[in-house]
Amino acid sequence: MKNFLGILGAIFLWSYTPSIAQEKQETYTKPDTVSNDKHSLSFFLDHYEKFFKTNFNISECPGAAIVIVKDSTVIYKKGFGVKKIHTTDSVDTNTVFRIASLSKGVSSVLAGNLVDQGELQWNQNVKESVTYFNLKDKAQANRLQVNHLLSHTTGLYKYSNSKLIHKGLPLKNIISGFRSTGVVAKEGTAYAYQNAVFSVVEKVMENSTGKTFETLLKERLFIPAGMKNASSNYMDIKQNANVALPHKWNHYSKKYTLTNLHRNYYNVVAAGGINASITDMAAYLKVLMGYHPDIISKESLAEIFNPMICTSDEDTYVNLWDGVTDSYYAKGWRVLDYRNRTILYHGGNVNQYKTQLMIDPENGIGVCVLFNGPNPFNGPVIPTFLNYYDFFMATKRSDNDI
């Protein structure tokens, strides 16, 4: 016990500084089923909250929100800081953020729902339903499947045609722009992260069901999961009164400034255009952890988490995490070999928003963190969560052996 507290205390001591942000002190839920001692989740949560709060304050990031789900229960949910600098308008648990590339995992869950309903197949050829999609290599375009779109294994150079996204072109025009795009590898053989070609899956889903991608998200996921604040268009977040506005960091002045919500990536919703509150993400975590078979079956969940391509040799930030020995990309998800178990993860970055989501299936725990500004705390927040939880579990097992 003293050893545990001593290590944690040392971490807090070096990083302590007075808070510059207004904090919303609400919705910290301690489990009713455990006692408040070092063997309980409350003990772990108390110490992780101290770590998060201290380092959030040091980062000076305007706002954040975090949720932790254990098994089927939300055990921690809280907003930190403010929606807009120079105000006291605190982030709460219903404040909406852009979730950036966490949208990719949402799209894969939706694809799994369509597979369950017999409306889509993982190995379905893209051109069967999106006939105007093409590549410079027409033979490869004819072979591309939904699998390849969702796993970034289309054979295109990374971030192909992102400039078309930034021009604000509608998705149909972005897709048409691929006809002159070359390939650098055969489909299924190489990993290269994408946004534009990933979102071709929207049109595959629309043409397979006769419904818009936005409607499918609402009817198949947001409504049945209880994601009441979630949306997938610019106007919904622009007109919402409870939004964590984006802020950019000036490296010269060392200050945050408010920036505008922009329309970029709402034209490729599947890749990065979804909005949600931390309460919505709590509901979404329960879907990912298998507690909503009405939305996605156990079999389809296993499929979207099934590694498609090894990324261990790629220049990806997750390979720098202590404890990660190998990494893979599945369908909209990163899969990590972490300390002899599998971790499911994705991060996001759009319009100055930073987002993180992690699930530890073996321990039945998941966490999501949303920030409304870039900050140095964003990188270590998930690996530190894993370190704290592992230390808590190791301490618990050690004491039980006495």
Side-chain angles (χ1 to χ4, degrees), residues 322-355:
D322 181 42
V324 171
T325 52
D326 281 301
S327 63
Y328 307 85
Y329 206 91
K331 296 180 179 70
W333 291 97
R334 297 190 185 278
V335 181
L336 311 178
D337 287 343
Y338 176 84
R339 303 195 191 283
N340 298 314
R341 67 185 190 273
T342 298
I343 296 296
L344 309 170
Y345 168 81
H346 216 286
N349 171 28
V350 73
N351 197 176
Q352 306 300 322
Y353 292 89
K354 301 286 186 176
T355 61

Side-chain angles (χ1 to χ4, degrees), residues 118-390:
E119 298 167 308
L120 187 72
Q121 294 181 333
W122 298 116
N123 62 354
Q124 183 173 321
N125 280 36
V126 173
K127 279 184 68 68
E128 285 182 10
S129 52
V130 190
T131 56
Y132 58 94
F133 171 75
N134 224 324
L135 297 171
K136 198 170 184 179
D137 186 333
K138 293 181 172 53
Q140 184 143 320
N142 289 334
R143 295 192 302 265
L144 284 186
Q145 301 173 356
V146 170
N147 276 324
H148 301 130
L149 298 179
L150 298 179
S151 62
H152 305 298
T153 58
T154 55
L156 301 175
Y157 188 74
K158 63 182 179 181
Y159 297 110
S160 285
N161 285 352
S162 287
K163 61 184 179 182
L164 302 182
I165 299 174
H166 300 146
K167 286 182 178 180
L169 298 180
L171 181 56
K172 186 172 182 179
N173 292 39
I174 293 173
I175 294 173
S176 296
F178 276 100
R179 67 169 64 95
S180 59
T181 302
V183 300
V184 294
K186 185 179 178 182
E187 75 281 356
T189 65
Y191 165 85
Y193 197 80
Q194 306 290 342
N195 285 306
V197 75
F198 184 99
S199 285
V200 176
V201 76
E202 291 184 39
K203 293 302 179 184
V204 176
M205 293 188 199
E206 289 181 346
N207 293 336
S208 296
T209 62
K211 296 185 176 183
T212 66
F213 190 69
E214 183 174 13
T215 298
L216 288 170
L217 283 170
K218 288 180 180 177
E219 293 182 352
R220 306 292 182 93
L221 179 56
F222 295 165
I223 292 173
M227 298 171 69
K228 297 180 181 179
N229 301 305
S231 62
S232 57
N233 64 71
Y234 171 76
M235 290 310 298
D236 273 354
I237 192 170
K238 185 69 175 176
Q239 295 173 356
N240 193 320
N242 191 3
V243 171
L245 295 171
H247 298 77
K248 59 184 178 181
W249 173 254
N250 187 306
H251 291 280
Y252 297 100
S253 67
K254 306 297 182 184
K255 293 181 179 179
Y256 283 96
T257 55
L258 184 68
T259 189
N260 294 324
L261 279 164
H262 63 57
R263 297 178 182 269
N264 284 356
Y265 290 86
Y266 287 110
N267 50 352
V268 286
V269 170
I274 292 174
N275 317 307
S277 68
I278 206 65
T279 295
D280 297 322
M281 300 309 286
Y284 177 52
L285 275 169
K286 293 181 185 180
V287 174
L288 296 172
M289 295 167 76
Y291 296 104
H292 262 290
D294 55 316
I295 294 174
I296 183 169
S297 68
K298 179 181 178 180
E299 293 73 21
S300 288
L301 267 179
E303 185 60 35
I304 68 172
F305 297 144
N306 184 36
M308 293 282 294
I309 190 81
C310 183
T311 59
S312 298
D313 295 331
E314 300 290 331
D315 185 20
T316 62
Y317 55 97
V318 294
N319 293 333
L320 301 176
W321 290 6
D322 181 42
V324 171
T325 52
D326 281 301
S327 63
Y328 307 85
Y329 206 91
K331 296 180 179 70
W333 291 97
R334 297 190 185 278
V335 181
L336 311 178
D337 287 343
Y338 176 84
R339 303 195 191 283
N340 298 314
R341 67 185 190 273
T342 298
I343 296 296
L344 309 170
Y345 168 81
H346 216 286
N349 171 28
V350 73
N351 197 176
Q352 306 300 322
Y353 292 89
K354 301 286 186 176
T355 61
Q356 309 262 350
L357 189 151
M358 184 280 301
I359 301 167
D360 180 348
E362 183 176 313
N363 289 307
I365 196 164
V367 58
C368 180
V369 186
L370 309 174
F371 295 103
N372 66 344
N375 63 86
F377 180 41
N378 175 64
V381 68
I382 297 299
T384 303
F385 178 93
L386 287 166
N387 286 336
Y388 268 53
Y389 193 75
D390 280 0

Side-chain angles (χ1 to χ4, degrees), residues 7-20:
I7 291 173
L8 293 176
I11 294 172
F12 304 144
L13 185 61
W14 71 262
S15 59
Y16 178 75
T17 192
S19 171
I20 66 162

Side-chain angles (χ1 to χ4, degrees), residues 107-126:
S107 301
S108 294
V109 168
L110 181 59
N113 175 279
L114 269 61
V115 169
D116 290 338
Q117 303 303 319
E119 298 167 308
L120 187 72
Q121 294 181 333
W122 298 116
N123 62 354
Q124 183 173 321
N125 280 36
V126 173

